[in-house]
Every structure is written in C-alpha cells, then in structure tokens.
Amino acid sequence: MVWRNTRMIVLCAISAALYAAVLVPFKVVPLIPGVTELRPANAIPVVCSFLFGPAAAWGSAIGNVIGDFFGGVSPGDSFGFIGNLAYGYIPYKVWNILANGRSPVSRSPVGILCYVFACLVATILCADLIGFGDNVLAIRPFMMLGNVVILNNMASALILSPFILAAVYPRVRRGKMLYSDVMPELKQAPLARRIAGLILLIGGEIGGWISGNLLSTGYWVPKFLPAWMTVAPYDKSIGVVTGSFIIVALIGMFLL
C-alpha cells in the first residue's frame, strides 16, 4: 500500500536520504575495523518510524544499502536490508499496541517504558537478522554483529532519538504529515492478532539471539543435529536452529 501513495513514497525517500546522509560521514569512525562503525545515524529509523510508519521501514532499508556502498558491499548486505527494514517498521507497530494513544514524545513513566521496549524489540530482531546472515554466509560469527548491533542501535535510540522526536514530532503533526494523516486508509489489525504477533516476535527474536550466541561460540552443540552440521564456523547449525527462531519472529512481525 505504501507504493500506491505518492506522499508515502516521498516520505520513504526522505527517510532513506536522511539515514544515508548521516551514515556515510561516520564510515571513517570504525568501532570494529572492517565490520561496523560508529552509527549515530541509527537514531533516524526510530524517529522516522514514529513519524512516517511503514514508509520509514522501506526508507531505513534503502538508506542502509546506500550507506553500505560507501563502506564496501558484501553478500551480507542483503540481510542488512531486511534487518534495517525491521528496525524501521517495528517501533511504531509495538508502540501502537502498548501506548494506548499516547504521543511518542510522552514523558510519563509508562510512555518512557513503552518507548524503550519498542526500540529494544526492533533492535534485537535487526541484530538477529544481520548476525544470522553473516554467520550463515561464513563471513563472521553471529556473536560479533549480533551483539554490536544491539549496543549501537540502542545507544542511538535512547540518547539521540528522543531529542530529535521532541523537536520534530509536534511540527510534523501540526503539518499533518504523520503517516496516519498521509494514509488514513491504513487500518490496524485486530488487537488479538497484534498481541499474538508481538508474543511470537519477542519469543522468536530472543530465541534467535540466545541460540545464535551459544552456537556461534561453540558453547552449545545441539545433539539432535548430525555432527557434520555442528562444526565451525557453525553456519549449518545457525541456519537450522537460529533460522527457525527468526522465521517465528518474522511471522510475528507481519502479524503486528
């Protein structure tokens, strides 16, 4: 539905341009050389998610691809696309389930908890997808990006995003440019379905994160898998076990 609405396409392009514009300059500030860099730009998908809804999801995915072109392209970037799509999609979806009509710039204790929870749920699935992709492709172990992404994303989401949201959300709302204004025909799924989706999402992504870390470090060797699937770089065991959890999480995400 996003691609049938001209204004939503424009918001998608804005989200992608903002994300890429902040990503690219920090390519020269690596956290782990050759793996990832300091990414204050990770505040942008969260902000755009609350402003532009589904347009932000596609914008985040496209913006990340643009940023990757300036840091070296690899097969793992396809998982970065999906991970960043989830990172831009989940925050506003989870917020709508939990926040009971509150503004995302709410300073109440409940509002703050809902905000942190929504960002964390989005961040873990993003980390799962990127760590999973790198390990399955035998580029680097899950435990590397599967944990760094969480630290990087949550730092930006908790330190930078709230200030940006507080500055721009009231203005975007007054200008009637929120996704709910631009695309009023976008209806929410029944609450029971969304809650079931959230449960599947949380269970799947936590299972994926735990199994990915245990398998990629060799701390867990599943007895139900043949021996040839449980040897380093653990790509096959990650593919079967962690991949199954991620599928559950993705099903939950699409039910939100």
Side-chain angles (χ1 to χ4, degrees), residues 47-70:
V47 171
C48 290
S49 182
F50 288 111
L51 298 178
F52 307 142
W58 290 105
S60 300
I62 295 167
N64 187 72
V65 169
I66 295 171
D68 284 342
F69 277 115
F70 289 86

Side-chain angles (χ1 to χ4, degrees), residues 140-248:
R140 55 185 68 90
F142 178 99
M143 56 81 59
M144 187 174 290
L145 283 183
N147 294 294
V148 170
V149 169
I150 292 177
L151 294 174
N152 226 343
N153 285 12
M154 287 304 292
S156 297
L158 298 182
I159 296 171
L160 299 177
S161 296
F163 294 102
I164 301 172
L165 265 177
V168 303
Y169 185 88
R171 292 169 174 80
V172 173
R173 182 174 56 190
R174 285 197 297 270
K176 297 190 180 300
M177 289 299 293
L178 296 175
Y179 69 91
S180 55
D181 299 316
V182 173
M183 203 171 179
E185 69 272 18
L186 187 65
K187 304 298 182 184
Q188 295 188 37
L191 182 59
R193 169 183 154 174
R194 289 185 285 143
I195 291 174
L198 182 58
I199 293 170
L200 288 175
L201 170 58
I202 294 170
E205 68 181 13
I206 291 176
W209 182 77
I210 293 173
S211 65
N213 275 287
L214 292 177
L215 290 167
S216 65
T217 53
Y219 282 120
W220 177 34
V221 180
K223 300 300 183 184
F224 55 85
L225 293 179
W228 61 270
M229 295 184 70
T230 59
V231 295
Y234 308 111
D235 53 324
K236 297 176 181 62
S237 56
I238 290 276
V240 172
V241 180
T242 304
S244 299
F245 281 114
I246 289 176
I247 289 172
V248 171

Side-chain angles (χ1 to χ4, degrees), residues 1-6 9:
M1 293 178 70
V2 169
W3 303 109
R4 298 178 183 176
N5 187 308
T6 303
I9 294 173

Side-chain angles (χ1 to χ4, degrees), residues 75-97:
D77 292 341
S78 57
F79 290 91
F81 179 92
I82 302 170
N84 277 273
L85 188 147
Y87 184 52
Y89 180 77
I90 292 173
Y92 90 96
K93 282 289 191 176
V94 174
W95 178 266
N96 286 340
I97 295 172

